[in-house]
Amino acid sequence: MRIDLHMHSTASDGELPPGELMLRARAAGLGLVALTDHDSAEGVPDATKAAAEVGLAVVPASELSSTWEGRDVHILGYGIDPEAAAIVTRGRTARRRRRARMVTMVDRLREAGVAVGMADVERAAGRGRVMIGRPHLARALVDVGAVASVVEAFDTLIGDGHPAFVPTDLGSPRDAIEAVIAAGGIPVWAHPPGDQLRTLLATLVEAGLQGLEAYRAGWSARRSRQVVGAAREHGLCVTGGSDWHGPDRGGGLGDFWVTPRRIRAFLDLLGDRVDLPPGTH
């Protein structure tokens, strides 16, 4: 069984609609996936319907943004009720604040001499987009000729710690964890940076965190071992996923996956919330 527990659709900042994403995931050989759109679970119904037609199992999930000491901290919520008030309300707030954040980032770029505007970002995002996110700004920067690629946009201008970066103002990590729990889900820290593992993990565990994303596309075996070690120290499960948005950010859908053995403790927790397919038990 090939598993990918982190991917995004057009319900946030991915390139494919939820249904098409599921069809592509199955064609790529995946058997269990999680749709983890940013601060939204609006794509889950379409994803679930499409996946059922091709025998793909889908975990209802969302990646909730939060801020700690001026940096983004993302909490994945697995096995949530997509219609829970905590998720729906957060999604409405996120749409407003993410747009305000994007306006600020565009202003910073323009002050630095980069000729990009909100109209360029909206054009890059496409019609009907639920959320505006950094990948849309990155594609707009490519379109206006400011950078050669989406990767370059993140690495030089809009990635964490770079000149135009603005944190997502959606509350604290504790707020995000509490929202996941209120929606009946399992809170897992997405792609935790090494320095934050040392300074923030104990606080998140006290708030109710249950897992760490330890396996991720592009990570070295050494970094994964570090996260697995931290999880064991605090009695947490581990998960893994590609964080796939689209081909612009490197790698094909299905190129990265984890086995049930690596994430057994998480699957045992998830089994109380989701009907898992044969091969994951």
Side-chain angles (χ1 to χ4, degrees):
M1 172 72 69
R2 296 185 177 188
I3 301 171
D4 185 346
L5 296 172
H6 195 157
M7 58 179 60
H8 298 271
S9 76
T10 53
S12 64
D13 55 358
E15 293 187 19
L16 299 178
E20 184 178 347
L21 179 62
M22 296 300 104
L23 298 180
R24 297 263 193 108
R26 188 58 177 146
L30 296 170
L32 174 65
V33 302
L35 183 63
T36 56
D37 282 312
H38 293 288
D39 303 299
S40 172
E42 293 186 27
V44 169
D46 285 348
T48 302
K49 180 180 178 182
E53 296 173 357
V54 293
L56 176 66
V58 182
V59 179
S62 183
E63 184 175 7
L64 305 190
S65 304
S66 67
T67 304
W68 182 75
E69 294 189 349
R71 294 170 63 183
D72 279 351
V73 175
H74 291 178
I75 303 297
L76 293 155
Y78 291 109
I80 59 170
D81 174 2
E83 298 181 358
I87 299 300
V88 174
T89 300
R90 191 179 183 90
R92 293 187 185 124
T93 301
R95 281 193 287 273
R96 295 194 305 270
R97 293 189 180 176
R98 281 182 171 275
R99 183 173 183 83
R101 173 205 195 198
M102 189 58 57
V103 169
T104 302
M105 292 183 72
V106 166
D107 287 345
R108 288 189 179 185
L109 287 166
R110 292 178 70 85
E111 288 170 4
V114 180
V116 66
M118 278 301 296
D120 299 310
V121 178
E122 291 167 348
R123 190 176 304 112
R127 298 179 63 182
R129 184 71 62 167
V130 175
M131 297 275 183
I132 296 289
R134 281 187 291 173
H136 306 136
L137 175 55
R139 288 198 287 273
L141 289 167
V142 173
D143 292 343
V144 300
V147 294
S149 68
V150 166
V151 172
E152 183 184 345
F154 275 89
D155 287 347
T156 61
L157 294 172
I158 65 173
D160 292 14
H162 288 287
F165 172 72
V166 175
T168 307
D169 181 18
L170 285 170
S172 70
R174 179 181 291 272
D175 295 332
I177 290 169
E178 290 176 350
V180 170
I181 294 171
I186 301 167
V188 173
W189 189 357
H191 42 77
D195 62 325
Q196 287 187 332
L197 273 177
R198 294 186 293 273
T199 57
L200 183 58
L201 181 55
T203 299
L204 299 192
V205 172
E206 189 273 331
L209 188 75
Q210 291 183 268
L212 298 175
E213 187 178 49
Y215 304 106
R216 177 175 167 84
W219 275 17
S220 67
R222 182 175 181 273
R223 186 170 182 186
S224 290
R225 285 195 300 269
Q226 178 193 31
V227 179
V228 169
R232 287 175 178 166
E233 180 181 348
H234 290 270
L236 305 175
C237 64
V238 297
T239 68
S242 63
D243 199 3
W244 199 84
H245 289 72
D248 282 348
R249 292 181 68 177
L253 185 60
D255 287 354
F256 178 88
W257 46 275
V258 294
T259 62
R261 180 182 61 82
R262 282 191 159 180
I263 59 170
R264 172 55 51 203
F266 169 76
L267 293 174
D268 289 344
L269 281 175
L270 187 65
D272 295 334
R273 296 167 172 82
V274 177
D275 290 330
L276 296 174
T280 55
H281 299 283

